[in-house]
Structure formats: C-alpha cells, structure tokens
Amino acid sequence: MTIGNDTALVLFSGGQDSTTCLGWALERFARVETVGFHYGQRHAVELDVRPRLREGIAALKPAWRDRLGEDHMIALDALAALSETALTRDTAIVFAENGLPNTFVPARNLIFFTFAGALAFRRGARHIVAGMCETDYSGYPDCRDDTVKAMQVALSLGLDRRLTIHTPLMWVDKAGTFAMARDIAGQAFLDLIVEQTHTCYLGDRSHRHPWGYGCGACPACELRAQGYAKFRADSPA
Ligand code: ZN
C-alpha cells in the first residue's frame, strides 16, 4: 500500500526504532527522505551508522532503492548547550527523583519535530514518520501519543499545511518492533537491524550480543536485550 505520490520525512537516528520506521515508510510512500540531528551527543556512534544503514536498506529491495531520497543532517548546537545530561556530558546515567533518566534532554522531541516540520515544508513532504513509543519508553513525556498529536496540530496550523505525523511504534514493545521489521522485509532486514543499528547509551560497538552491539548493561541495552529475547521466544528462528 503506497499513499499516492506523497513524500515522507523519517526522523532517522540510526537506532533500531527509527530504522524500523524507515522500512515502514519505504513500504508506503513514493519518496522517503531522512533527517538526523546532531546536538553534541557524547557518542556520535548512532550518527556514524546512518550512512551504512541507508546503503544496506537501499540494497534490500529495488523499490526501496528507488524511493529512498536525500538524507539531511541538522546541527542543533543550542540543544547541547541547553542540556546538562548524560548524553551530552561525561557523567554517569542515573535516574533522577522524577523517574526520568538523566539522559533526558528536556523537550528534545518537540525541537526535533519543529525542525522536521520546517524541513518537510521546504521539501514538499506531507508526512513525518518517527519512532516514538509509549510502550517501553523511559518516561520521556515528549514521546507520548498526546504530545505527538499536539505537535501535529501545532505544525499543521503553524505551517498552514496539513502535516501528518506517523508513529508506527507508539503501541509496540521492543519485541514487537523486532517482529515488525521481519514482517516488513524479512530476515535480511531483521539481520541488518541487529547488526548495524545502534542504541547503547555508552556508544559501545565492541561487544556483540545476539541482539547486536552494545555494553549490555545500560538501560537502552537492557531494553533491547529483553525485547530480542522475548521476540525469539515468541517466534523461534
Ligand atoms: Zn549499552
């Protein structure tokens, strides 16, 4: 099912979720462009894996190669200056009293969506696809479905153009996200995601686990490891 001749812009970090969303979008839209944000992440590993992932994805299906358009990188230095968090400072990841990990950059996704909206407008894209998820989320309030829907309304009004934000993973857990990748484009897409995507908060690419690379101990690795184990238990290879 493709949605006419529409263009979609995918928020693409190089992680498992956004890579799955990119495959989801490539099945649905005539043209798919990607956008990444650089904001002084302590580890730029996620951003390093993006070009390789895009190449791998384009090689999976001729239709995907035809549909995959430009990649855009937006530098958000101001966001790095604003945040006092573990992702952008050399401090340990801990959970604050409000239950949020200190990796949380306040309002980060609102800022991403605003820039993505401006870019979508300039590129003639009527759809934004993003990997926000309420199921496994670490308490990030800007990943909530209501936040995203409010953003869609704000952008559509502010741009005076209907813009739809799709979040195909909103109600899917990590195991379901692995299963979705396999359902979208088979074992080759799943293999690419396991091997090439990166989610570890510590930027570890030296330890290989059944679920991919990472330190194995940070909250992002734990979530990915548990999700993969559940996925494998639900559907043995
Ligand atoms: Zn890790």
Side-chain angles (χ1 to χ4, degrees), residues 93 198-204 211 213-222:
I93 295 166
H198 189 83
T199 26
C200 175
Y201 284 150
L202 303 182
D204 186 324
W211 43 267
Y213 290 92
C215 72
C218 76
C221 281
E222 279 182 7

Side-chain angles (χ1 to χ4, degrees), residues 7-28:
T7 297
L9 180 65
V10 179
L11 272 61
F12 180 55
S13 69
Q16 177 191 351
D17 293 348
S18 67
T19 303
T20 305
C21 285
L22 179 52
W24 182 92
L26 285 164
E27 283 293 290
R28 282 164 179 81

Side-chain angles (χ1 to χ4, degrees), residues 172-204:
V172 179
D173 65 9
K174 270 281 185 279
T177 304
F178 281 114
M180 185 186 286
R182 186 202 48 202
D183 293 346
I184 288 171
Q187 187 65 37
F189 189 36
L190 182 63
D191 290 345
L192 183 75
I193 282 173
V194 168
E195 192 65 27
Q196 301 280 4
T197 66
H198 189 83
T199 26
C200 175
Y201 284 150
L202 303 182
D204 186 324

